[in-house]
Amino acid sequence: MPQPLPPVAPPPDRRRAAWLLLGLALALALPLVAHRWLTAPRPVRLASDPPGLKIFRAQQCDHCHSLQGVADGKIGVSLDGIGKRAGTRLPGVSGPEYLHRKILHPEVWRASDQLNAMPSFEGKLSPSELDTLVNWLMTR
């Protein structure tokens, strides 16, 4: 009587191997990502922050715009030097007036090289809050 053949090993499951490699890659990368996130410099928030900065943060301007030592947003334009640049954006329009217009109606006062992603803050800021924010931005 003939001997039974030994069982044949199943072919390797490529999907399983891919998932294992992905899991290994994630397991190796996660500590690095966590370390970089936990040790990244964060802007210091003080109770004595100027009122303009408080409004800037309360309106979440820091989520989109970068400003050295204050915000690291990546979507909007950098606001470093905005106090000096604002007065040069439109002929005959002062820096504070330009910022007032830009904050209330960004879609109208958009430079040709900018995306149209900024929301309007009309009705979201009182006139005094807008003045406070603009005055603070003019010092940046």
Side-chain angles (χ1 to χ4, degrees):
M1 197 138 116
Q3 291 281 349
L5 294 174
V8 177
D13 182 0
R14 290 186 183 192
R15 266 190 257 160
R16 183 172 182 232
W19 281 108
L20 287 172
L21 285 174
L22 178 63
L24 179 62
L26 288 174
L28 294 173
L30 188 59
L32 177 64
V33 171
H35 178 265
R36 290 193 70 188
W37 182 76
L38 291 171
T39 59
R42 303 272 189 246
V44 177
R45 295 183 184 211
L46 303 173
S48 61
D49 283 344
L53 176 56
K54 289 180 182 177
I55 294 168
F56 184 80
R57 288 187 173 142
Q59 295 300 317
Q60 300 179 343
C61 304
D62 56 342
H63 290 197
C64 295
H65 295 282
S66 64
L67 185 58
Q68 186 175 11
V70 175
D72 57 1
K74 307 258 188 280
I75 298 170
V77 298
S78 169
L79 297 179
D80 291 327
I82 191 65
K84 292 179 182 170
R85 287 193 333 254
T88 65
R89 300 299 279 177
L90 294 172
V93 177
S94 71
E97 181 59 26
Y98 172 78
L99 290 176
H100 273 90
R101 292 178 183 184
K102 182 67 176 169
I103 292 167
L104 295 179
H105 305 287
E107 68 286 352
V108 175
W109 302 102
R110 179 176 60 90
S112 60
D113 61 339
Q114 294 175 344
L115 295 174
N116 192 11
M118 183 168 159
S120 170
F121 286 86
E122 187 172 31
K124 297 178 184 175
L125 294 169
S126 70
S128 66
E129 288 174 322
L130 180 61
D131 288 341
T132 300
L133 177 59
V134 166
N135 289 336
W136 178 77
L137 286 171
M138 288 301 297
T139 67
R140 304 288 111 202

